[in-house]
Amino acid sequence: MTVRPGAPQLSSAGARFAVWSPDASQLWLCLFDREDREVRLPMVRQGDGLWRIDAPGVGAGARYGLRADGPYDPNAGFWFDPDKLLLDPYATAIDRAFVYDPALAAPRGQGRDTAPLMSKGVLESPLPRLARQPPRFTPGGLIYELHVRGFTMLQPDVPEEQRGTIAALADPAVIAHLKALRVSAVELMPINAWIDERHLGPLGLTNYWGYNPVSWFAIDPRLAPGGLADLRATVTALHQAGIGVIIDMVYNHDGESDISGPTLSLRGLDARGYFRHEPDGRLINDTGTGNSIACNAPLVRALILDSLRHFVTEAGVDGFRFDLGPALGRLPDGFDPRAPLLEDMRADPVLADRVMIAEPWDIGPGGYQLGRFGEGWLEWNDRYRDDVRRFWRGDASTLGALATRLAGSSDIFREGETRSVNFLAAHDGFTLADMVAYAHRHNEANGEQNRDGHGENFSWNNGVEGPSEDAAVQLARRCDIKALLATLFCSRGTIMLTAGDEFGRSQQGNNNAYAQDNAISWVDWTGRDTDLEAHAFALAALRGSSPELHGTAQLADGDVEWLDERGHAMTVGQWEDPQRRRIALRHRSSGFAVCINGSGEECRFLLPEGEMLVPPRAVAISPPAR
């Protein structure tokens, strides 16, 4: 193919637009003035499904959309409806956030013109060329997952007008906190323009997380009123502080949902090309959200790669985390780590050195792919999360699994280098504080009768479900969090901490707070547990100064020894003892040791370098003198 769609091109003469829609009978470019009056300009088909138009006199700041006519048969994948204004898939900015309205989903001939309801694309002047630099993040560091809005809405040191925006992340107070934690890179939950799911409005809720995208280029104006320039400025400020930026991308589905969903962009242009369908024409739903993107179709691959390059070349981001990552490698016969899109990412000159992180599971066939993304990819390791939680909960026969996770999960990543992203909590699930305060989910605020969210969280409540004024319960919970944090910071490979877990953030037991744009989800800076925070800062400083902790090479018997509390090598019988709760990991070359006491009594560990008294349910670290 010699022609392809792309972002609108501006010149002194005007603007050129190119849009893909092979089955359409006609496309129009729709221009809107300040009073929202519309001018429709017919586009011209130029072969291979591409439509083009040159618009003289159209420049930066112009607002526009698309309309498409053609066959209408949703059951066969045809959704053409000239009453539906569509967002250009390559639009790099929009004039306002998307708001769901039932008219956006009305069948052809039964609805009204949707232009007044739709966000319009905005033409942007190119930013100055950005010098290319290597990523600030390297595997083995600390990734800090955060929601742009919730992380700063209650941050008292950030100017009020900036709170809840990408610009707030560049505030000196925020950067100081990140540096105290020795954060290697922040991982921003989705910042692309998104739309609410249709069931949320009647419940009085909105989509807070943003995992329901309409655009893969445009940043949601609620998070970046200044658009791409805001992101670039913040990335620059974080880079100057030595902190990388990773953004969470959602390519597995879009916000047009199932057959009853709205027509916003891809669906109205080429639903059969952009989405995966069953042989009988029904939408495939490997995501649980209504549709599945055909990521390995040639034009979709091009769109995805172009959007990734856009954020690297225009904003300087260091890498990407991919929601429901198996979608990127899914072919008709299943997941393939050498699928065309994944191979393109590895070979692309702009993307090849970027950080690539997979959430290696979805609900589609063969959807669990932990350990299979291969060279160049890091992967969220839910086995780490669950095994560490189960050990500290007190489950029997968990010591061996704990040791494997501490050493880099060689049973999963067999290449000699661990590609594990070790984490205990993420945006999806309990916070770290709730993990030790709730044995069950409490999602009533979501309006789904507490049926949503994970049912098994390997959590525990220390005797009381939820908040407690009992000092003993509070102390037990704080000790548990400290032990969990110490385990995380002493683990081999990359580690990830979710914002606020370092100082005891709670979501009141809600483990699926995707629709809670309120105090349930926002990070409470004034009520934070400063004792826990100091503990996390100390762990971060120790990890940062200890090469034993932040390498990525798998730990082998020649590197470390596993000792019991008497300083003897662990025996087979001890490894297999279902009730054993004590172990020490000692690095042979330096004597650096991590002593883990998961029992309810204090324990004296006799190490070659000396004795160490470890309180009950605690981790103690014996670094060597350097």
Side-chain angles (χ1 to χ4, degrees), residues 157 165 170 263 269 317 498 571-572:
D157 297 319
T165 71
T263 298
L269 293 170
V317 303
T498 296
T571 66
V572 172

Side-chain angles (χ1 to χ4, degrees), residues 325-326 335 337 342 346 358 360 369 371-375 377 379 419:
F335 176 83
L342 298 179
R346 291 187 177 95
Q369 296 295 332
R372 292 201 62 210
F373 276 75
E375 179 184 359
W377 282 80
E379 301 181 33
R419 296 184 291 103

Side-chain angles (χ1 to χ4, degrees), residues 98 103 124 156 197 218 238 286 304 307 388 428 451:
F98 280 91
E124 293 186 301
E197 292 84 352
L238 289 167
D286 288 335
I304 291 173
S307 63
V388 174
D428 184 5
R451 294 191 301 263

Side-chain angles (χ1 to χ4, degrees), residues 533-558:
E533 183 180 54
H535 177 68
F537 288 163
L539 288 170
L542 177 66
R543 183 178 174 91
S545 63
S546 304
E548 296 91 344
L549 295 182
H550 55 73
T552 58
Q554 296 281 8
L555 294 180
D557 289 342

Side-chain angles (χ1 to χ4, degrees), residues 187 211 246-249 320-323 357 359 380 427:
E187 182 176 298
Y211 289 96
I246 297 166
I247 58 177
D248 200 337
M249 300 297 289
F320 305 91
R321 181 263 185 188
F322 297 93
D323 182 62
I357 304 174
E359 179 186 37
W380 275 24
H427 67 272

Side-chain angles (χ1 to χ4, degrees), residues 204-248:
L205 300 172
T206 59
N207 184 311
Y208 166 66
W209 283 352
Y211 289 96
N212 204 37
V214 180
S215 173
W216 293 330
F217 283 83
I219 302 173
D220 198 286
R222 290 169 288 193
L223 303 182
L228 187 64
D230 284 1
L231 178 62
R232 178 187 281 199
T234 294
V235 170
T236 299
L238 289 167
H239 280 178
Q240 290 172 348
I243 300 168
V245 178
I246 297 166
I247 58 177
D248 200 337

Side-chain angles (χ1 to χ4, degrees), residues 142 144 151 155-157 173-183 432-433 477-479 481-483 485-486 489 497-505 523-542:
L142 168 62
Y144 191 73
F151 185 58
Q155 222 293 351
D157 297 319
V174 172
I175 290 178
H177 182 79
L178 298 175
K179 288 179 69 68
L181 269 178
R182 308 291 182 99
V183 170
L432 198 57
R477 290 174 176 176
R478 182 177 287 107
C479 289
I481 296 174
K482 287 185 174 182
L485 286 171
F489 276 84
L497 189 68
T498 296
D501 278 351
E502 70 273 26
F503 49 66
R505 181 178 76 94
V523 174
D524 180 6
W525 288 87
T526 57
R528 67 188 191 273
D529 187 325
T530 55
D531 176 57
L532 279 179
E533 183 180 54
H535 177 68
F537 288 163
L539 288 170
L542 177 66

